[in-house]
C-alpha cells in the first residue's frame, strides 16, 4: 500500500527527535497562532468565512505533501475547495486525536472495534498478524480484529539520525520495535533503561492505535485524490503583507504572562 501522509497531530509533546515538530500556537492558551501574521484575516476575506488556526491545521492535513524543503502546503484561491479540504482535514484530525475532544471514540470502518483478547504474560519475542482471523499476536497476547490495512499502514521515514523508523516501515512494527530497543544487544547507557516486564498499558494502547491506522488507510485514497484547485500566488501573499514572514515571528515566543523587559525583550531574573 502507499505510505501514509507523514503528517501527524498530537496533543502531547513528542519524545525524541522525530523530525520537524510545529506547535499550532506559539504561547500557552492558544493566544498566538504559529502562523504568518496576517494570514488568517486574508484567508477569511478570500473565503468569505471566519478562519481559525485549527482550520489551517485541518487544511494542512488535507493538502500537505513532501517537497524539497519539507512539507509544502498550497493555499487555494477557491472557497469551495477550501471547504472541501476542511471537511477532509477535520476527519483526518478526528482520527489522529482519537476522540480526546469528547464524544465516542472512533470505530473501525464498518463499525467494528478491536479488543485485547488475551493479555501478554511474558515479554513477546515478536509481533505477528494472522490474515485469516485478523489477529495481532504479541507472544501470548492477542488483539482482534486487526484489518490488513492497519497491519500494513506505513508512513514515510524520518531523516537519518532522527531516531524514527525507516521509510515505509509499517507503524505497528515500528511501535513494537521502539518498545524493545532497550533489550537489544547494542543498547547502552540510557538506551538500555526500560521495563523488565511488558507493561499491560502498552497492550491497552493497541486497540486505539489499530483503529486510527485503519481509518487513516480508509481516508488515504480520498486524500491522495484531493487537489486544491487554483492557488493563491506568492505575489498576492506579498501584496497582502503576509510575505515575507517577519523575522520576529520565527523566533521563540515568550511563555510569560507579563511584558518582558531588558535587551531584546528579555525579562531580568534576579
Amino acid at each position: 500500500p502507499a505510505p501514509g501522509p507523514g503528517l501527524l497531530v498530537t496533543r502531547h509533546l513528542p519524545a525524541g527527535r522525530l523530525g520537524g515538530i510545529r506547535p499550532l500556537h506559539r504561547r500557552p492558551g492558544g493566544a498566538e497562532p504559529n502562523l504568518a501574521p496576517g494570514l488568517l484575516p486574508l484567508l477569511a476575506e478570500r473565503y468569505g468565512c471566519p478562519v481559525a488556526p485549527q482550520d489551517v491545521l485541518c487544511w494542512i492535513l488535507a493538502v500537505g505533501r513532501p517537497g524539497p524543503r519539507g512539507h509544502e502546503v498550497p493555499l487555494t484561491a477557491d472557497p469551495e475547495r477550501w471547504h472541501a479540504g476542511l471537511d477532509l482535514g477535520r476527519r483526518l484530525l478526528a482520527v489522529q486525536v482519537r476522540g480526546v475532544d469528547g464524544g465516542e471514540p472512533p470505530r473501525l470502518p464498518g463499525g467494528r472495534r478491536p479488543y485485547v483478547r488475551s493479555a501478554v504474560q511474558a515479554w513477546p519475542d515478536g509481533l505477528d498478524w494472522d490474515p485469516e482471523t485478523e489477529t495481532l499476536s504479541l507472544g501470548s497476547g492477542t488483539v482482534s480484529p486487526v484489518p490488513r490495512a492497519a497491519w500494513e499502514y506505513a508512513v514515510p521515514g524520518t531523516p537519518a539520525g532522527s531516531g524514527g523508523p525507516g521509510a515505509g516501515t509499517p507503524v505497528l512494527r515500528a511501535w513494537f520495535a521502539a518498545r524493545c530497543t532497550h533489550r537489544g544487544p547494542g543498547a547502552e547507557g540510557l538506551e538500555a533503561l526500560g521495563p523488565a516486564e511488558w507493561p499491560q498499558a502498552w497492550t491497552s494502547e493497541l486497540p486505539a492505535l489499530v483503529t486510527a491506522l485503519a481509518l487513516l488507510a480508509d481516508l488515504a485514497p480520498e486524500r491522495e485524490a484531493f487537489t486544491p484547485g487554483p492557488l493563491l500566488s506568492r505575489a498576492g501573499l506579498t501584496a497582502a503583507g503576509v510575505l515575507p514572514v517577519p523575522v520576529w515571528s520565527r523566533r521563540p515566543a515568550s511563555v510569560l504572562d507579563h511584558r518582558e523587559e531588558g535587551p531584546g525583550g528579555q525579562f531580568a531574573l534576579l
Side-chain angles (χ1 to χ4, degrees), residues 49-107:
C49 63
V51 176
Q54 186 162 309
D55 293 333
V56 177
L57 172 62
C58 292
W59 177 259
I60 292 171
L61 288 176
V63 305
R65 300 291 188 273
R69 295 180 296 176
H71 272 75
E72 299 178 349
V73 181
L75 291 173
T76 184
D78 184 346
E80 291 187 2
R81 299 309 296 161
W82 169 258
H83 289 292
L86 277 193
D87 176 69
L88 173 58
R90 285 167 178 160
R91 284 180 282 142
L92 289 165
L93 179 63
V95 170
Q96 293 203 28
V97 299
R98 300 185 228 176
V100 297
D101 287 328
E104 185 179 6
R107 296 173 178 263

Side-chain angles (χ1 to χ4, degrees), residues 83-189:
H83 289 292
L86 277 193
D87 176 69
L88 173 58
R90 285 167 178 160
R91 284 180 282 142
L92 289 165
L93 179 63
V95 170
Q96 293 203 28
V97 299
R98 300 185 228 176
V100 297
D101 287 328
E104 185 179 6
R107 296 173 178 263
L108 292 172
R112 299 184 298 168
R113 286 191 188 279
Y115 291 97
V116 176
R117 306 295 178 176
S118 57
V120 177
Q121 302 298 333
W123 199 281
D125 294 329
L127 189 70
D128 296 304
W129 177 73
D130 186 335
E132 294 186 2
T133 62
E134 294 188 313
T135 298
L136 186 71
S137 300
L138 305 87
S140 61
T142 56
V143 177
S144 68
V146 177
R148 178 181 295 275
W151 171 248
E152 295 181 346
Y153 190 85
V155 296
T158 51
S162 64
T169 301
V171 172
L172 284 173
R173 277 175 264 187
W175 176 92
F176 179 76
R179 283 152 181 77
C180 298
T181 302
H182 68 286
R183 297 172 64 89
E188 298 179 355

